[in-house]
Amino acid sequence: LVHYLTGEATKKIAYPSIPTTIFSSPKLAQTGMTAAQASEQEEDYEVSDIDATSWFSYHRVNEPVSKIKIITERKTGLLVGATCINKRADDLINFFSLLIDQKTPAEDVAQLILAYPTIASDLTSIYV
């Protein structure tokens, strides 16, 4: 901060994505760019809605609702934002934050082998 105040540093501060969660039932979580922000720049971003309620990882624990929204940058295909509502949204949003901050391409996520059936294993189907 001192370097910015004294003019020694001029490089723009790169803030990480900050996950937020509402601990209700079901939980609601968001990180990165919001769908509202993306809709203001439709030519640059794509918003995808996913209903994962019937996916085995949610169905096996009687999850009544599981919806996920991801925002990707059209030019690069990189994940820039995510919102989810389900009982495990607090865990899932942390995975999304990591993917956003590490600028992980969907192709790299598709190559991961993750324990199944877990919330993490769904990343290879969500972000493709």
Side-chain angles (χ1 to χ4, degrees):
L1 178 61
V2 171
H3 292 289
Y4 282 100
L5 293 175
T6 61
E8 293 177 35
T10 57
K11 185 177 176 183
K12 185 178 176 181
I13 298 173
Y15 294 100
S17 62
I18 300 171
T20 57
T21 303
I22 297 173
F23 291 94
S24 56
S25 183
K27 296 172 187 163
L28 175 64
Q30 194 279 324
T31 191
M33 178 178 275
T34 65
Q37 291 169 324
S39 68
E40 294 173 1
Q41 303 172 56
E42 289 181 351
E43 66 282 350
D44 296 327
Y45 300 100
E46 180 177 356
V47 178
S48 301
D49 291 306
I50 301 162
D51 185 349
T53 305
S54 64
W55 292 13
F56 186 68
S57 52
Y58 299 99
H59 183 70
R60 71 183 177 88
V61 292
N62 295 320
E63 180 76 44
V65 64
S66 180
K67 299 198 185 261
I68 302 159
K69 186 174 291 202
I70 62 168
I71 298 101
T72 53
E73 187 177 46
R74 290 186 188 275
K75 188 162 98 173
T76 64
L78 292 175
L79 183 69
V80 294
T83 304
C84 48
I85 183 168
N86 56 50
K87 290 181 183 176
R88 301 292 306 276
D90 52 338
D91 294 326
L92 189 56
I93 209 66
N94 287 323
F95 291 123
F96 284 132
S97 287
L98 288 171
L99 295 175
I100 292 168
D101 291 342
Q102 298 298 313
K103 298 183 184 333
T104 307
E107 303 83 43
D108 291 356
V109 175
Q111 297 302 312
L112 296 173
I113 298 174
L114 301 165
Y116 178 83
T118 65
I119 301 307
S121 70
D122 289 341
L123 292 173
T124 59
S125 298
I126 295 168
Y127 177 42
V128 289

